[in-house]
Amino acid sequence: MPQHHPQLIATLAVGLGLAFLFGVVAHRLRVSPLVGYLLAGVAVGPFTPGIVANQEMANQLAEIGVILLMFAVGLHFSLKDLTAVWRIAIPGSLGRMAGATLMGMGLAWMFGWGIGAGLVFGLALSVASTVVLVRALQERRIADTERGHIAMGWLIVEDLATILVLVLLPSLAPALKGDAGASAGIWSSPS
């Protein structure tokens, strides 16, 4: 006999219902529906009174949503388009990420944080939302222009750099804490 999961259905129904409602309100206020979707997530989150979605299930659904959004971004941009704008996209995106990381590290230094915490904070500030930008470019009908291709190429390079950072950051964590000997073992361990 099949097992039913009413929490899954309730979480989906409440989440989609509020996303629709807040999206319509945002559209009526002439704001991007993404703002409404974000507010719907805040409304069912654990930090606001009222309906609270099952957090574990909501986190899993959010991961699926991010996967689908990144898939949608991949549908709009081809490798041919990226190679056409690489001379602008690679240095521009890496330079912007480096600048934002350094500013974040400077701000963290002003707060009295260590260099490792400052680096992680700066890297978190340097990440741009590809999905939000693609949506904004589509709403303004400039996604298929040269400027749109440059902007999307810029963000694709940033996404690839962010993936590299996320892969390397756990390996660098001991060195960022000041324990350089612990990180050397990670790099030299046989696979």
Side-chain angles (χ1 to χ4, degrees):
M1 177 164 244
Q3 185 179 14
H4 299 285
H5 298 283
Q7 284 186 338
L8 173 63
I9 295 169
T11 301
L12 282 172
V14 169
L16 292 175
L18 283 176
F20 175 75
L21 178 68
F22 282 53
V24 167
V25 170
H27 181 71
R28 297 255 185 222
L29 295 173
R30 296 181 186 206
V31 180
S32 174
L34 290 173
V35 174
Y37 304 154
L38 180 65
L39 291 176
V42 170
V44 298
F47 304 108
T48 54
I51 301 168
V52 176
N54 179 336
Q55 273 311 114
E56 183 179 329
M57 194 172 302
N59 289 340
Q60 292 171 353
L61 291 173
E63 288 179 17
I64 292 170
V66 169
I67 291 167
L68 292 174
L69 288 172
M70 293 309 293
F71 179 74
V73 169
L75 289 176
H76 292 286
F77 201 77
S78 69
L79 188 58
K80 183 179 90 174
D81 293 336
L82 182 59
T83 56
V85 298
W86 74 271
R87 292 184 204 281
I88 298 171
I90 291 176
S93 61
L94 295 179
R96 193 206 63 79
M97 285 183 77
T101 301
L102 289 174
M103 285 191 287
M105 288 176 74
L107 186 61
W109 176 74
M110 288 173 38
F111 289 141
W113 297 357
I115 192 165
L119 179 64
V120 171
F121 179 67
L123 287 169
L125 290 178
S126 74
V127 176
S129 177
T130 304
V131 174
V132 172
L133 180 73
V134 168
R135 180 75 177 173
L137 291 173
Q138 289 174 342
E139 286 177 2
R140 290 174 176 77
R141 300 198 189 328
I142 57 175
D144 291 326
T145 65
E146 183 180 5
R147 290 183 305 161
H149 287 289
I150 290 171
M152 284 194 280
W154 190 299
L155 287 167
I156 296 291
V157 171
E158 285 184 7
D159 287 344
L160 294 173
T162 301
I163 291 169
L164 182 64
V165 165
L166 289 174
V167 167
L168 293 178
L169 204 55
S171 301
L172 296 174
L176 294 175
K177 289 181 184 176
D179 186 15
S183 66
I186 294 171
W187 294 104
S188 62
S189 63
S191 46

